[in-house]
Amino acid sequence: MIALLALLLLAATASAHIVPVPPSTCAFDPLTIEAPAAGVVGTAAPAGSSDQFRILYDPQASQAEFDMQSLPPRGFTAAGVDGTLALPGILLVALRNSGDLVVTTSLAFTMNAATTSVPMTLTTGLAAAAGLVVEGTPIASDGRFALVGVTADSGLGPPLAGGLLTVRLAGQAVPRPDTDQFFLATRTTPLSASLTARVFKLRAIFAPGAMDVPDFAGRPAILRVSSGDTTIAAVVLPSGLPARGRKLFVGHSDDGRAAFGVRQLQRSGQVAFLLAVKIKGPVLPAVPASPVAVTFTYDAGGLLSHLPLAMRVKRHGTVLHYP
Amino acid sequence: MGRRMRLPSRTLAATLPLLASMASAGQPRTLKLHFPRLIIPGATNPEACVLVRVPATTPFDVASIEIRHRGVGRTFAVQHFLVHLYTGEQLGEFEAERGHVAESRGCLDLGPADRDRRQLVASGTAARSRSGFPPGVALRLAPVPDTPGGPPAGLGFTFDGEWVNGTTRTHRASALVVLHRARAKAVTRVALPFSDRSAEAGLLVAPGQVASTEALAAGQQAAWGPGRPGGPDTGACVLMVTGQMHKRGRFLGVDLVGPDGTVENPAGGTPNPFAPGRSHLFGAIDWTDEGTLVRAHPLALGMGQGLHYACWDDNGEMRSLRLGCGQATGTAPGEVGAPAQQCTTDTDCPAMNPDCRSANLVAGPTPEDEICRLNGIYFPADPVSGCPP
C-alpha cells in the first residue's frame, strides 16, 4: 500500500503543462479590393500604427479572436475614388492546426457618402463565385497569412460596381501562434500525381479532423492547382460530389473538363478517404529547375486541405510527376 | 485474494454489456474501462475525451485505480490522462456519446449540461501507473441518476487524454483504466469526494481585465471545511485537493485557514503569479489539468478550519474576450448569476440587446462562462483519535 501511495504521489505531483498561446499583433497590409468585371483594383494606404489590432487565441473553441474594436475604418482608393472599409469590432475566426482561418462576416464599404454592407466568407483556403476561384494563405511559419473572399453580387456602386467583388487581407501575426493545440485539420497524403499540357491527375488519401463530418454531396467543391503565382487549374463544382452508393462520391464539371471523386476507405480507428482528380487542359508552369513546387488545394464536403507537391520534371518540362 | 472478473479488453462496447450485470450479479473485483484507439498525426498535440457509463445501483468502493497506456514511447508521449468521476444527475446522456472520441480541450464540448459536476479521481502519464489510497481507506464512488431526481443508475467517467506526437509519423494511442475494488473487510474508512463552488459568487471580470474572485466579498469567504456550508459535521482528513476552472481561468490558489480566517499555510507553497509575495497550500495554472495536492498523511481539518480558495480569471488580457449581447454603448452585459447571452456576431442577438460586444466574465454552465471550484477527497475524522498520522 505504501508503494501505491508513492505512485499516487508521483502521479499527483506531475507538473502542469499548459502552453499558453500569447496574443499576436497584426495589421492588414496589403489590403486589396477588386471588381474584376469593371477591371478596377482598389488598394488601401499602407497600414499605420492605428491599423494594428490584437489577435487573442482560444484553443478550446479552436478560434482566433481578432479584436479590432479600436480600429478606424481603413481608407482605400479605387479608380480615383476614395472609400473606406470597416470590419466588425471583434471577429471570431475558426483556426485549425494547419494555420487555416475561416470566418463569415460582413464588410462595410463606404464610398460616395453611401455605406453598403457586403456579407462575405473570408478564408485562407478557397472561395469561389461566378466561376472565379481565389485562394488565401494559411498562417505560415513566420506568421504571415492572407484571407480572401469573393461575392458575386456586392451591391456596390461605381467604381466597384459590376457585382463580382474580391477582397484580400494579408497580414502577419506577431508572434506567430503555436497552432498545435487547435483542432486537427484534414490531412492529405499524396500517392501519385502527373501534369502535362493535356491533363493533371492526382491520387491521394486524406483523413478529416476528429471533429469533422464531411458532407460531400451537400456542399460545393472547389479545387485549385497552382505553382507560385501560376494557376495550373481551378475547378468549381457547385453541386458538390453526388453520392454513388454509400462510400463513393463523384463530381464532374459542367464542361466535362474535370472529375473529382472520393471513396471512403476501411481503416480501423480512422476515417479516411481516397481522392482522385483529373483535370483536362491545365496550364503548365514555368520550369526553372526540378523539382517544381506545386500546391493542390481543395475544399470538398466542408474539408479544406493544402497539399504541397514537389513534382519532378521530365521531357524538358513537358511532364511533371510525383513521386 | 478476491475474485477477479476478467473482461474482454478489445473494445469499450464489448466491455459495457458485461458491466451491466455488475449490480445484479455482485460487484466485480475490477472494472476495466477503455479509451478507444486514437490516431495521433505527426507534430500534433490533441486532447480527446471519452464518456463512459457503467450501470450500477450500489456504490463501488475503490482501493486503487490503474492506468495503462498503449502506443507511447520516447517521442510520442502522454501529456495528461485524467479520470473524472461524474457527479451530476444526467448520466443518461452519456449513452448518446458511447464509444465516441471527441477532440476537446478540457472535455467541455461533450456530455450533459451539468458536465462540470465531476471529480478528478486518478491521473497517470506513465505507460503503467497505479493510484492508491492509504491502508484501510477506500474511495466510495456513488451511482448517480440518469435523469434529475431519478434513482441511482450508474457510474459515469470522463476520460481526458492529451498526447504529444513530436515525430512526423502518425501514432496510435489507447488506454485502459482498471478500478480495483477494495475488499470489504479491509476497509476501515470510506473516503468521499467533496466540492465547493461558493467562490463563483465572487467571479466578475470586466472586459480586458484579470481579476480574482476575492475582489468581491462572496469570494473572500469561499471555503470548504468542517462546520462550513457543504462541509462535514466532524473533522475532516483531506487526502487530495484539486481545483476546477474553465478556459479563462489562469490560476487557482488554495489556502489553509483557521477558524478566524487566518492563513495557516505551511512554508514552501505555490507562488501566486498575480499576487507577488503570496503563496498557497496548492496552486493550479493549467485549466485543462489542474494537478493535485496529495498528502502522504491526511491533512487534518478541525472544526472551524477550512480550505479557502480563489481563482484569477482573464477576460481579454491574454485569453479571448467573452462576447455577449448588449447595447453598443453603456455598461458591459453580464453580471453575477446572469451571464450575458452568448454571440459571435450581431445576428445572434435579440432586438432588445442587438450588439454582440465584449461582456463581463462571470460564472456559468457553458464553456464560454467560467467556473471556480475546489474539489478533493476526504474521510471523516475519528471523533476521538482524529486523523491517522
Side-chain angles (χ1 to χ4, degrees), chain B residues 35 60-61 82 97 99 132-133 165 192 206 224 233 269 298 324 379 388:
Chain B
F35 192 108
F60 188 90
D61 290 343
L82 312 174
E97 302 278 355
F133 294 94
N165 185 353
L192 303 167
W224 177 90
D233 296 331
F379 61 84

Side-chain angles (χ1 to χ4, degrees), chain A residues 8 17 54 58 60 65 268, chain B residues 80 109 132 162 247 316 321:
Chain A
L8 174 61
H17 58 76
R54 286 205 316 160
D58 181 353
Q60 186 272 330
E65 189 176 87
S268 171
Chain B
H80 73 227
D109 304 290
E162 182 181 7
K247 63 188 176 187
L321 273 166

Side-chain angles (χ1 to χ4, degrees), chain B residues 3-351:
Chain B
R3 177 175 63 95
R4 180 175 290 258
M5 182 171 138
R6 292 195 176 275
L7 299 175
S9 60
R10 295 306 298 173
T11 66
L12 181 66
T15 306
L16 288 175
L18 286 171
L19 294 176
S21 62
M22 186 181 83
S24 57
Q27 290 189 332
R29 181 77 177 87
T30 61
L31 291 180
K32 289 187 174 180
L33 308 172
H34 292 260
F35 192 108
R37 196 168 71 161
L38 185 69
I39 305 293
I40 316 283
T44 63
N45 169 212
E47 183 168 356
C49 311
V50 168
L51 302 182
V52 178
R53 179 183 181 277
V54 181
T57 54
T58 55
F60 188 90
D61 290 343
V62 176
S64 65
I65 300 175
E66 186 181 352
I67 300 172
R68 300 178 202 165
H69 291 288
R70 285 187 179 167
V72 298
R74 282 201 321 173
T75 55
F76 174 55
V78 182
Q79 189 82 281
H80 73 227
F81 190 89
L82 312 174
V83 179
H84 287 108
L85 173 70
Y86 174 66
T87 57
E89 294 184 290
Q90 299 175 45
L91 183 65
E93 294 192 27
F94 274 47
E95 204 59 28
E97 302 278 355
R98 179 174 170 171
H100 175 59
V101 182
E103 188 181 356
S104 172
R105 293 286 159 195
C107 296
L108 297 186
D109 304 290
L110 70 165
D114 64 351
R115 70 193 66 164
D116 282 322
R117 292 179 64 179
R118 66 188 193 188
Q119 290 273 354
L120 181 67
V121 293
S123 65
T125 57
R128 193 165 183 161
S129 61
R130 191 163 175 169
S131 308
F133 294 94
V137 178
L139 174 64
R140 176 153 294 174
L141 308 182
V144 294
D146 278 338
T147 55
L155 301 172
F157 298 94
T158 302
F159 295 161
D160 176 348
E162 182 181 7
W163 291 265
V164 177
N165 185 353
T167 73
T168 55
R169 288 181 48 225
T170 294
H171 282 270
R172 289 168 172 77
S174 63
L176 173 67
V177 177
V178 185
L179 283 73
H180 295 266
R181 184 169 62 85
R183 284 182 292 169
K185 290 180 181 175
V187 177
T188 55
R189 296 180 181 89
V190 174
L192 303 167
F194 68 85
S195 183
D196 188 273
R197 54 184 294 191
S198 54
E200 293 177 357
L203 208 162
L204 176 66
V205 189
Q209 304 288 315
V210 176
S212 164
T213 51
E214 290 178 337
L216 298 184
Q220 293 166 9
Q221 306 300 321
W224 177 90
R228 296 172 185 265
D233 296 331
T234 64
C237 308
V238 177
L239 294 169
M240 187 271 271
V241 174
T242 183
Q244 202 176 350
M245 299 183 286
H246 280 178
K247 63 188 176 187
R248 294 183 178 91
R250 289 182 59 187
F251 184 71
L252 182 147
V254 181
D255 293 322
L256 174 63
V257 295
D260 60 353
T262 308
V263 175
E264 299 174 351
N265 291 337
T270 307
N272 184 322
F274 298 97
R278 183 176 177 184
S279 65
H280 300 272
L281 174 72
F282 170 74
I285 59 168
D286 179 357
W287 72 273
T288 67
D289 177 9
E290 313 251 359
T292 53
L293 170 73
V294 176
R295 304 275 302 189
H297 303 286
L299 173 67
L301 294 182
M303 290 300 288
Q305 283 188 301
L307 297 173
H308 165 69
Y309 65 102
C311 295
W312 279 255
D313 299 297
D314 182 337
N315 185 16
E317 187 182 276
M318 296 289 284
R319 305 285 166 86
S320 60
L321 273 166
R322 168 70 157 89
L323 300 185
C325 296
Q327 310 280 343
T329 56
T331 57
E335 55 190 65
V336 174
Q341 181 182 335
Q342 285 179 49
C343 58
T344 55
T345 68
D346 291 350
T347 55
D348 297 334
C349 295

Side-chain angles (χ1 to χ4, degrees), chain A residues 9-323:
Chain A
L9 284 167
L10 280 175
T13 54
S15 59
H17 58 76
I18 191 169
V19 183
V21 186
S24 304
T25 57
C26 183
F28 289 130
D29 196 13
L31 186 161
T32 54
I33 303 151
E34 185 175 0
V40 174
V41 179
T43 305
S49 58
S50 63
D51 297 311
Q52 295 267 342
F53 60 90
R54 286 205 316 160
I55 305 176
L56 295 152
Y57 299 98
D58 181 353
Q60 186 272 330
S62 209
Q63 285 177 336
E65 189 176 87
F66 287 34
D67 182 357
M68 300 181 287
Q69 294 178 98
S70 59
L71 231 57
R74 185 73 172 274
F76 67 87
T77 304
V81 177
D82 291 335
T84 62
L85 168 63
L87 289 107
I90 296 175
L91 268 186
L92 294 180
V93 185
L95 171 59
R96 294 296 183 114
N97 74 326
S98 59
D100 272 309
L101 299 158
V102 182
V103 62
T104 297
T105 185
S106 191
L107 311 178
F109 289 87
T110 302
M111 297 183 79
N112 302 317
T115 299
T116 306
S117 185
V118 180
M120 190 175 279
T121 295
L122 298 171
T123 176
T124 56
L126 297 169
L132 177 67
V133 176
V134 291
E135 181 174 358
T137 311
I139 300 174
S141 57
D142 62 357
R144 292 183 193 279
F145 65 95
L147 288 161
V148 295
V150 59
T151 179
D153 185 14
S154 70
L156 293 176
L160 295 174
L164 194 60
L165 181 83
T166 68
V167 172
R168 185 178 183 86
L169 309 172
Q172 183 175 18
V174 180
R176 196 254 187 213
D178 178 358
T179 55
D180 279 5
Q181 298 180 63
F182 293 83
F183 288 169
L184 297 177
T186 298
R187 303 168 308 284
T188 308
T189 307
L191 298 176
S192 64
S194 65
L195 172 63
T196 67
R198 288 184 57 226
V199 67
F200 170 79
K201 290 182 187 175
L202 173 89
R203 282 163 57 86
I205 288 175
F206 67 91
M211 303 298 280
D212 292 326
V213 180
D215 180 8
F216 298 115
R219 300 183 63 162
I222 313 171
L223 59 90
R224 180 171 181 261
V225 189
S226 61
S227 179
D229 292 334
T230 304
T231 297
I232 296 169
V235 176
V236 182
L237 306 175
S239 302
L241 310 178
R244 289 190 185 178
R246 284 195 311 119
K247 295 184 176 180
L248 179 64
F249 303 85
V250 181
H252 292 92
S253 60
D254 290 341
D255 60 5
R257 199 172 62 86
F260 185 175
V262 299
R263 179 192 294 276
Q264 186 170 351
L265 301 174
Q266 295 288 352
R267 290 194 160 192
S268 171
Q270 182 185 31
V271 177
F273 298 86
L274 175 68
L275 174 158
V277 171
K278 187 175 181 181
I279 306 171
K280 293 177 183 171
V283 174
L284 269 177
V287 183
S290 182
V292 177
V294 171
T295 301
F296 174 72
T297 305
Y298 65 95
D299 186 337
L303 307 179
L304 169 64
S305 185
H306 307 261
L307 176 63
L309 294 165
M311 299 189 77
R312 289 192 233 168
V313 178
K314 288 173 64 177
R315 298 181 191 169
H316 309 292
T318 58
V319 177
L320 277 62
H321 68 98
Y322 176 91

